[in-house]
Amino acid sequence: MNAPLPLHALQPSPINAADADPAESAEWREAFVALAAAQGPARARYLLDELARLAREQRIGWKPELATPYVNTVGVNEQPVFPGDLAMEERLASLMRWNALAMVVRANQAESGGSAELGGHIASYASAADLFETGFNHFFHAREGLGEGQHRGDLVFFQPHSAPGVYARAFLEGRLAEKDLGFYRQELGAAGQDAQGLSSYPHPYLMPDFWQFPTGSMGIGPISSIYHARFMRYLTHRRLLDCAGRKVWGVFGDGEMDEPESMSALTLAAREGLDNLVWVVNCNLQRLDGPVRGNGRIIDELEKLFAGAGWNVIKLVWGSDWDGLFARDLTGALSQAFAHTVDGQMQTFAAKDGRFNRDNFFGQNEELARLAQGMTDEQIDRLKRGGHDLVKIHAAYAAAANHTGQPTVILAHTKKGYGMGSAGQGKMTTHSQKKFDEADLLEFRNRFNLPLSDEQARQLAFYKPADDSPEMQYLHARRAALGGYLPRRDTAADVIAVPVLPSYASFALAASGKEMSTTMALVRMLGGLLKDAALGPRIVPIVADEARTFGMANLFKQVGIYSSVGQKYAPEDIGSVLSYREALDGQILEEGISEAGALASWTAAATSYSVHGLAMLPFYIYYSMFGFQRVGDQIWAAADQRARGFLLGATSGRTTLGGEGLQRQDGSSHLVAATIPNCKAYDPAFACELAVIVDQGVREMMVEQQDVFYYVTLMNENYAQPDLRPGSEADILRGCYLFDSYARRSDIGQRPKKLEKITLMGSGAILTEVIKAAQQLAGQGIEATVYSVTSWSELARDGAACQRRALAGEPPTDAFIAEQLKTSDGPIVAATDYVRAVPESIRAFLPPGRGYLTLGTDGFGRSDTRAALRGFFGVDAASIVKAALHQLAQA
């Protein structure tokens, strides 16, 4: 039997236009309410859909409002019974709040007459603590193991500013010691004190056994969570791993939703029906400096946005204490008051006490005042928002976990700095609050009824109950029931056998002068790797768009494009050998025009070895300009997550993509790539070099299981490809090898003693120009030795390592590049298709006294032919010859 609607449902909405016929309107309302009560919500929804359809046909110009009243989506009569010990969980949450506060305040206390000023955040965790704890106690499942039938764990993305609370929980669980908490944000100092330093935010690179996902850069966590959820479906549909029963949970801030990455893939999540994805948006209504929407309502705005994108929206607004008020509210006064209260005012209510709220909220009209009668000021002050009520949170999480067909977002209303009282609750300055005076500490202690003496509170003593206490037994039992402790990062994954290089790249190793581009060579190698029985299924080809531009169309038929619904149409080019083919078990991820989405997919695949215990190897190919320059922060986050895979910057350099102009020509990606410690960046000129690099990368990642990823730049320019120089493999990988020496034929065997010599270095698209320049110089009687530089950054890293060893007092050794250049003579000229800072990075490690001149493509790009562009930037053969002659004259 359906519960009757409240009487105020029969009243006209205060936000509607003036009613021309109130009596008729009342009849419609009464009829609809009676229908819903007698025949249920399904029948009511059907009629509403019919009326909406008729309105569209009659061109009435009406559509339903996406925002619902400012109340909980899950009604009181729909709440499941809370399955835990409520009082116990509230006590544990209070202990974690205290330990998190103590950790941050300790780190920022004055030391030795100064101030540590290490930073840290208290208010964010204070608002999210109950959201976290409900997940930890009832929903966040850890990995049980990799065996048949064992749960492989949920994926949980934690709001980064709340990291202290996660550390506080790990302390109670026994995974972190009290000494560790004393080194919050002091990772270097902890090393000498037999303690583990705790990183500021979730950083898997710094805490590789603890954090799983880096979320410190706003917006990257949300988009990453969506593509991780989609990648789990990909693994399931390709029958590589059954991910059924696993969820992706993301706890994010309402201010974070303003980041474009947070919003950019919402429709993808709905289109793919990712009901394995749950977002919990912590709506404390405040950003760092003030209200998120001071003059508006962020929860209403987000509800419209997510509902419009196709998500299931659950509003978690008011706690259980409000249920009685709503039940007594027969006129809808509460709903109407909330509908007219903007977030800036709601923040003020959070910061003030019960007396202020009685006078300024409940005092707005007689109906509200009557609702507050019989309540003390303290009771009004303790009215909880939904995000602080464990019962309400559990009901919302359970509804989200059981929902099918759509991703779910829970909009949880909280107070920033909840429980911080006059020290910070709801205040504009609360985000930066990291210091408490004695009165504030005692007030916090009292607010949460903590078992601390006044002295312990003043001294910020950490508190941990005895191991055999009911609290600790309950804490461990809840996590045991959910598979173990979180967060936790595992790296166990099978070693994958890889094929020998000639089996898929013999055409590149012995090219015999055949013309091809390195992009085409890579795609051909990729096609060969995909055919390998062991490695092939683990490869994930990724492209944002323009797979045909990169010559990948032949892979459409070979492995197909992944689609969660298969292919419901006959493609226009179905009769073509290279026709477009989507399939449920397709292997290629083609993400559309979204570099951010493609990079998020790459990260999901590149970290599958740790997230799922299943090693995958992604190859993401894209216009090189749209990599580090456009989604560089995502690449940095992937490095933090210890990604393994290949980023392939096609049409690289500033002159290889002739007619495309300024914004599409890349002159700096290698400069940025060099700043990421676990990224190995290569700029090969020839297919044979590329083959050696790809082979090494595949072995490092899949066999040796090293936490590295490769950035390799490719060109779409066709030119003659040489055979691999025998014995050059090791030098190619270290960054530079002797390609050839050029001298006038008549000089061979009878060189005069004063024959002029020059050393030329080049990489990528410009190496062919360097070779032409060497040949022209040889025609002028100058011996030119050419070195192919496959990686400027690897050479620079080697040189810097040599310097560090020398400074540490170890026996000095020459840098690799200095050793290489001993086989040549004369001044050195280096040319690349990148800004001069790239070849300048090795200057300090070259042999002294030789002279070093670099040529590059500094400045903005232009639209023209390759020849014109290279002449304009001074990196063509003629410019290199001119530079060489200048160097010789200087010498």
Side-chain angles (χ1 to χ4, degrees):
M1 185 171 180
N2 296 297
L5 292 177
L7 293 179
H8 65 76
L10 298 175
Q11 304 300 318
S13 169
I15 62 175
N16 284 346
D19 191 345
D21 191 340
E24 182 183 32
S25 300
E27 291 177 5
W28 277 89
R29 285 193 294 272
E30 289 172 6
F32 181 75
V33 170
L35 171 81
Q39 300 188 41
R43 176 65 177 164
R45 285 194 296 268
Y46 170 77
L47 286 179
L48 288 173
D49 289 339
E50 277 295 294
L51 289 172
R53 182 183 63 79
L54 288 171
R56 288 193 297 270
E57 290 180 356
Q58 298 298 317
R59 301 183 182 276
I60 301 299
W62 171 88
K63 58 183 179 180
E65 174 64 47
L66 290 175
T68 58
Y70 207 69
V71 297
N72 294 339
T73 301
V74 181
V76 178
N77 59 326
E78 299 171 311
Q79 289 178 195
V81 175
F82 186 74
D85 184 328
L86 183 60
M88 183 70 73
E89 292 186 24
E90 288 179 337
R91 284 202 300 276
L92 285 167
S94 296
L95 293 179
M96 291 168 203
R97 289 177 191 276
W98 170 260
N99 288 329
L101 178 148
M103 183 191 335
V104 176
V105 176
R106 276 189 176 196
N108 288 277
Q109 284 181 326
E111 295 178 359
S112 304
S115 180
E117 293 298 345
L118 291 168
H121 303 276
I122 301 170
S124 293
Y125 175 68
S127 68
D130 299 302
L131 301 174
F132 281 5
E133 282 307 299
T134 303
F136 277 123
N137 286 321
H138 302 284
F139 293 95
F140 300 163
H141 209 295
R143 182 190 296 183
E144 297 171 352
L146 303 181
E148 187 72 27
Q150 290 185 301
H151 198 294
R152 295 214 175 193
D154 293 335
L155 284 57
V156 185
F157 290 75
F158 292 99
Q159 189 178 13
H161 292 128
S162 297
V166 182
Y167 294 140
R169 167 169 266 272
F171 167 59
L172 291 190
E173 292 170 337
R175 297 196 295 146
L176 293 176
E178 182 172 330
K179 181 182 289 187
D180 300 328
L181 267 58
F183 285 93
Y184 171 63
R185 290 194 171 196
Q186 299 169 74
E187 294 167 278
L188 299 179
Q193 300 295 324
D194 192 30
Q196 177 178 357
L198 305 182
S199 61
S200 53
Y201 304 122
H203 292 302
Y205 194 87
L206 299 174
M207 298 178 68
D209 299 325
F210 192 86
W211 292 115
Q212 192 172 44
F213 302 107
T215 55
S217 187
M218 299 291 98
I220 291 179
I223 191 173
S224 184
S225 71
I226 290 174
Y227 280 88
H228 270 284
R230 203 277 295 267
F231 190 71
M232 289 165 68
R233 290 288 171 82
Y234 171 88
L235 293 176
T236 299
H237 288 155
R238 290 194 53 218
R239 298 192 177 104
L240 293 172
L241 183 68
D242 184 2
C243 295
R246 299 172 65 195
K247 293 282 187 182
V248 178
W249 296 85
V251 184
F252 309 118
D254 48 358
E256 186 173 3
M257 293 300 103
D258 282 345
E259 289 287 0
E261 293 89 351
S262 298
M263 298 288 103
S264 64
L266 294 187
T267 54
L268 176 137
R271 185 170 67 247
E272 298 283 318
L274 298 180
D275 51 17
N276 60 341
L277 175 65
V278 180
W279 279 13
V280 181
V281 180
N282 176 19
C283 297
N284 57 37
L285 315 186
Q286 286 187 246
R287 292 196 300 258
L288 278 62
D289 291 334
V292 177
R293 296 289 184 274
N295 297 306
R297 296 154 59 81
I298 188 62
I299 289 181
D300 287 351
E301 181 180 323
L302 292 177
E303 180 182 21
K304 294 176 184 178
L305 182 66
F306 281 91
W311 286 52
N312 173 45
V313 180
I314 296 176
K315 291 166 76 169
L316 171 59
V317 186
W318 306 114
S320 300
D321 294 338
W322 289 88
D323 289 341
L325 295 175
F326 279 109
R328 297 201 307 273
D329 180 18
L330 303 181
T331 64
L334 274 178
S335 294
Q336 292 181 31
F338 291 141
H340 292 88
T341 304
V342 296
D343 286 353
Q345 187 61 42
M346 196 71 76
Q347 178 190 356
T348 301
F349 291 146
K352 302 298 183 180
D353 60 14
R355 169 55 61 180
F356 181 92
N357 282 277
R358 179 190 296 279
D359 295 341
N360 292 275
F361 179 76
F362 290 103
Q364 295 179 70
N365 54 56
E366 291 183 6
E367 289 89 347
L368 290 175
R370 279 196 295 268
L371 289 176
Q373 285 179 355
M375 297 178 68
T376 66
D377 289 347
E378 183 180 4
Q379 286 175 319
I380 292 175
D381 189 48
R382 286 180 174 263
L383 285 171
K384 288 182 179 179
R385 296 181 180 180
H388 301 306
D389 188 311
L390 297 181
V391 174
K392 296 293 187 183
I393 298 170
H394 180 273
Y397 281 21
N402 293 326
H403 186 77
T404 58
Q406 294 172 287
T408 293
V409 61
I410 297 171
L411 303 176
H413 194 193
T414 65
K415 294 180 181 180
K416 191 159 189 176
Y418 177 66
M420 291 171 63
S422 60
Q425 179 171 286
K427 293 184 179 295
M428 294 292 188
T429 57
T430 189
H431 184 80
S432 300
Q433 185 70 34
K434 52 186 69 71
K435 295 181 180 179
F436 280 62
D437 60 28
E438 289 187 2
D440 293 331
L441 292 171
L442 294 176
E443 181 183 352
F444 190 94
R445 187 267 317 266
N446 295 339
R447 169 69 180 79
F448 291 104
N449 195 27
L450 295 163
L452 298 166
S453 67
D454 288 357
E455 183 61 23
Q456 286 175 316
R458 294 190 190 99
Q459 295 299 319
L460 294 164
F462 293 123
Y463 185 84
K464 183 178 181 181
D467 291 343
D468 59 353
S469 66
E471 291 86 354
M472 296 300 285
Q473 291 179 4
Y474 186 89
L475 178 82
H476 292 297
R478 292 310 310 149
R479 288 314 308 164
L482 289 168
Y485 302 107
L486 283 176
R488 186 181 77 228
R489 181 175 178 274
D490 299 299
T491 58
D494 292 338
V495 171
I496 305 300
V498 302
V500 293
L501 179 57
S503 69
Y504 62 91
S506 59
F507 72 94
L509 302 176
S512 302
K514 182 179 179 181
E515 288 198 354
M516 72 180 83
S517 69
T518 51
T519 297
M520 292 305 300
L522 185 281
V523 172
R524 189 171 171 183
M525 292 177 205
L526 186 58
L529 288 170
L530 285 165
K531 294 175 183 176
D532 184 75
L535 181 63
R538 303 300 185 96
I539 291 176
V540 184
I542 302 172
V543 64
D545 201 16
E546 296 200 275
R548 297 181 193 275
T549 299
F550 303 136
M552 297 176 66
N554 63 309
L555 298 181
F556 293 167
K557 277 288 185 70
Q558 181 179 341
V559 295
I561 300 162
Y562 171 70
S563 167
S564 61
V565 296
Q567 190 166 40
K568 298 181 177 181
Y569 61 94
E572 171 274 330
D573 58 352
I574 193 168
S576 168
V577 176
L578 304 179
S579 65
Y580 200 78
R581 184 174 77 88
E582 297 185 75
L584 184 65
D585 61 350
Q587 200 158 345
I588 301 169
L589 290 175
E590 187 162 21
E591 304 297 2
I593 303 176
S594 173
E595 279 79 20
L599 204 283
S601 267
W602 180 85
T603 303
T607 57
S608 178
Y609 74 95
S610 63
V611 175
H612 306 295
L614 184 79
M616 302 294 287
L617 186 64
F619 287 77
Y620 170 32
I621 186 169
Y622 57 93
Y623 276 32
S624 64
M625 187 62 185
F626 302 144
F628 289 87
Q629 295 88 331
R630 187 162 187 166
V631 291
D633 202 13
Q634 283 182 268
I635 297 175
W636 190 260
D640 188 350
Q641 202 174 330
R642 296 174 173 253
R644 301 172 185 173
F646 287 89
L647 295 174
L648 303 164
T651 62
S652 64
R654 192 150 276 163
T655 68
T656 190
L657 190 62
E660 295 284 353
L662 186 152
Q663 281 191 283
R664 300 174 77 91
Q665 293 175 346
D666 167 27
S668 56
S669 66
H670 274 283
L671 200 60
V672 183
T675 66
I676 301 179
N678 51 346
C679 172
K680 292 189 174 183
Y682 290 93
D683 186 32
F686 298 125
C688 58
E689 299 170 353
L690 175 63
V692 171
I693 292 165
V694 169
D695 179 69
Q696 177 65 16
V698 170
R699 294 180 185 281
E700 285 185 4
M701 293 179 237
M702 302 303 284
V703 179
E704 300 170 18
Q705 299 193 349
Q706 295 186 34
D707 294 344
V708 297
F709 66 97
Y710 277 45
Y711 174 57
V712 185
T713 41
L714 309 170
M715 283 76 71
N716 63 340
E717 182 179 358
N718 291 321
Y719 46 76
Q721 298 288 337
D723 295 347
L724 178 67
R725 184 183 178 96
S728 63
E729 293 89 342
D731 292 349
I732 288 172
L733 296 173
R734 295 190 68 179
C736 177
Y737 72 101
L738 173 64
F739 179 75
D740 209 347
S741 291
Y742 298 85
R744 194 164 55 196
R745 288 187 177 276
S746 59
D747 294 334
I748 297 175
Q750 48 181 355
R751 298 174 181 173
K753 292 182 179 180
K754 293 187 178 180
L755 177 68
E756 289 188 293
K757 298 182 180 180
I758 190 80
T759 296
L760 304 180
M761 303 172 67
S763 69
I766 302 304
L767 183 59
T768 56
E769 298 293 332
V770 170
I771 293 170
K772 292 175 189 175
Q775 293 168 342
Q776 293 175 22
L777 289 167
Q780 299 178 39
I782 300 170
E783 182 179 329
T785 303
V786 175
Y787 288 87
S788 175
V789 177
T790 52
S791 177
W792 300 98
S793 56
E794 288 299 295
L795 294 177
R797 287 172 180 171
D798 172 80
C802 290
Q803 280 188 342
R804 285 194 299 272
R805 289 194 293 270
L807 291 173
E810 298 179 25
T813 56
D814 287 336
F816 172 70
I817 184 60
E819 289 288 341
Q820 286 290 85
L821 293 178
K822 287 180 180 179
T823 58
S824 67
D825 295 299
I828 306 167
V829 176
T832 78
D833 214 11
Y834 298 89
V835 294
R836 291 177 59 235
V838 173
E840 283 289 334
S841 64
I842 68 168
R843 178 181 289 274
F845 315 120
L846 298 174
R850 296 270 300 266
Y852 186 55
L853 178 64
T854 58
L855 305 177
T857 54
D858 294 69
F860 287 121
R862 301 290 193 278
S863 295
D864 215 306
T865 64
R866 292 191 184 108
L869 289 172
R870 288 169 185 171
F872 172 78
F873 284 112
V875 292
D876 61 348
S879 300
I880 296 168
V881 168
K882 184 177 179 180
L885 295 175
H886 174 271
Q887 285 296 87
L888 287 169
Q890 292 294 315

